[in-house]
Amino acid sequence: QQRQPEIMNTPTQPTLFLGMINDAGIAKIVAQCLAYHGFTVIDHSLDTLTFRYPNLLARLRVQAQKLLGNPHAKRDYIIAQKQHQIAATLAQHPHYDYALFIRSDIYPEHFLRKIKQKSRQMVNYQWDGMNRFAAAQSQIALFDRFYAFDPNDIAQNPQLLPATSFYFDHLPPAQTTCPSIYFLGAHRQDRIAPIVRFCQHAGQAGWPLNFQIARDGAQNIEAHYPVNNIQFHNGISYQQNLEYARSSAILADFIISTHKGLSLRTFEAIGYRKKLITTNAEVQKYDFYHPSNIFIWDGKTLDGLDQFIATPYQEIDPAIREKYSFGNWIRYVLNIHPHQPITLPKP
């Protein structure tokens, strides 16, 4: 049975402007969850999932920019094309109760200023490392509150506020229908070795895997992974990702070197009561950590993994699990009471 939505303490449903990039359709899931929690959502996410080039010349120009070293050429083109559409719709909504941005750096400053003028409060959650995107650093002062998920970023900049990511709590309870270990990620040079090592051991141990690696524009990446238990693809929707995660027995998480924050995969494991194998040792500093549920792997030694997989999942404190739900997260970042504050450990 699907949970009943919460009733917010407002006479009417508050309006919320949503701005984020809709990679793999994730913004649509965010919008659904916001509506479930009582918001009227004005979704202005930038949709890469359904985007089509207007002509062959535009496509070729973007491909040329990628070859010249801009991996975000398609995203930059979409944003440029959508600016006039976004500006045209501003007149349709004279006021927003809230404006929520996730990765505000994908929007130009003049647009953020327009939304702030129309909003009672405007916040941003930067769910990637601050140092990866120079625009994010320059935008902090534009927001009423600016949240980051990496403890190192918080320590270096007192203007930032702490927040983790979340799990989507508008879905029915998860059920394990497949005994596999599930991983979804893009091809990244700094995690090839541990992924290959893990897959080799899994093959020898007979562990069923559902490892999905996105090519992310790279060519011939199969040659980097000399194993036969990985599937390669050009993109999986976030809805499909959730279905895989919710039906699998164990989730796997291989970090990249650009930040120390916890991935969405970590919180999917919490919310959907899944065991987690992760190479991010920072996870042991958080209040939800339990060694029966989370195995911190050094990416090299396989000792202890067999025992971990055989160990039953241990229920965590319901209040802690609720703390990392989307419902608590949105109340926390918008400062709507009641909520549980979300903190980050010291780096």
Side-chain angles (χ1 to χ4, degrees):
Q1 297 293 320
Q2 185 162 334
R3 295 176 51 194
Q4 293 300 309
E6 301 174 11
I7 304 300
M8 303 190 66
N9 295 322
T10 53
T12 59
Q13 285 194 329
T15 55
L16 183 143
F17 177 99
L18 175 63
M20 61 184 293
I21 198 160
N22 192 32
D23 281 340
I26 190 171
K28 301 305 179 185
I29 308 296
V30 172
Q32 290 170 11
C33 206
L34 283 165
Y36 170 82
H37 285 288
F39 294 92
T40 297
V41 183
I42 297 89
D43 182 3
H44 253 308
S45 55
L46 299 179
D47 197 339
T48 60
L49 193 65
T50 60
F51 174 77
R52 297 293 181 270
Y53 290 100
N55 51 57
L56 179 60
L57 180 59
R59 179 187 290 273
L60 292 175
R61 285 174 175 170
V62 169
Q63 293 300 322
Q65 290 179 29
K66 287 184 177 181
L67 292 174
L68 292 173
N70 180 9
H72 305 299
K74 181 179 179 181
R75 185 196 69 192
D76 295 344
Y77 180 82
I78 293 172
I79 292 172
Q81 292 294 303
K82 285 207 169 188
Q83 287 309 303
H84 67 281
Q85 299 175 20
I86 293 172
T89 61
L90 287 177
Q92 298 176 11
H93 296 278
H95 177 76
Y96 307 111
D97 293 301
Y98 304 102
L100 169 65
F101 286 86
I102 299 178
R103 284 276 319 275
S104 63
D105 59 277
I106 66 174
Y107 292 89
E109 182 175 322
H110 68 84
F111 177 72
L112 296 176
R113 290 186 180 279
K114 287 182 180 179
I115 299 301
K116 186 170 185 179
Q117 292 173 359
K118 297 164 67 69
S119 306
R120 184 158 57 88
Q121 63 170 289
M122 187 171 83
V123 303
N124 179 61
Y125 174 52
Q126 198 70 12
W127 65 8
D128 212 326
M130 290 291 296
N131 292 332
R132 293 189 69 187
F133 305 101
Q137 296 279 2
S138 64
Q139 292 172 351
I140 297 173
L142 296 175
F143 290 86
D144 296 299
R145 287 184 299 283
F146 198 107
Y147 296 89
F149 81 140
D150 188 335
N152 289 322
D153 289 335
I154 300 294
Q156 294 169 11
N157 192 331
Q159 293 179 286
L160 300 175
L161 296 172
T164 65
S165 287
F166 43 77
Y167 65 90
F168 292 108
D169 54 354
H170 67 302
L171 304 171
Q175 294 184 351
T176 299
T177 59
C178 180
S180 62
I181 302 172
Y182 172 56
F183 169 73
L184 172 69
H187 170 63
R188 294 289 184 269
Q189 192 69 35
D190 56 355
R191 60 186 179 194
I192 292 174
I195 288 176
V196 170
R197 193 172 292 115
F198 187 91
C199 290
Q200 289 172 338
H201 183 80
Q204 296 167 3
W207 300 340
L209 298 186
N210 180 8
F211 268 43
Q212 303 279 344
I213 295 182
R215 292 185 176 87
D216 204 25
Q219 300 297 318
N220 302 317
I221 67 169
E222 291 86 348
H224 295 279
Y225 303 88
V227 293
N228 60 6
N229 46 5
I230 293 177
Q231 299 178 59
F232 300 93
H233 59 85
N234 293 317
I236 286 179
S237 72
Y238 195 77
Q239 181 66 49
Q240 180 64 68
N241 162 70
L242 286 177
E243 292 174 8
Y244 281 146
R246 288 161 54 77
S247 63
S248 299
I250 299 173
L251 308 183
D253 176 44
F254 299 90
I255 62 170
I256 57 177
S257 59
T258 52
H259 60 72
K260 297 290 187 180
L262 301 185
S263 66
L264 276 167
R265 182 71 70 245
T266 308
F267 300 96
E268 290 166 5
I270 296 168
Y272 309 137
R273 294 180 168 92
K274 305 294 181 179
K275 292 164 73 73
L276 176 72
I277 298 170
T278 179
T279 56
N280 192 343
E282 295 296 306
V283 71
Q284 65 189 312
K285 299 177 181 179
Y286 290 77
D287 55 1
F288 55 78
Y289 173 73
H290 192 293
S292 294
N293 298 341
I294 302 176
F295 186 92
I296 300 172
W297 185 43
D298 64 2
K300 300 175 182 178
T301 305
L302 283 304
D303 295 345
L305 262 174
D306 296 83
Q307 181 180 354
F308 171 77
I309 289 174
T311 302
Y313 178 87
Q314 297 294 313
E315 286 290 341
I316 63 173
D317 184 336
I320 292 178
R321 182 170 174 271
E322 172 65 20
K323 176 180 176 180
Y324 297 101
S325 67
F326 185 89
N328 183 70
W329 182 88
I330 192 63
R331 292 191 300 272
Y332 165 69
V333 298
L334 297 181
N335 198 29
I336 298 171
H337 293 275
H339 65 255
Q340 294 186 65
I342 301 173
T343 58
L344 298 177
K346 292 183 178 180

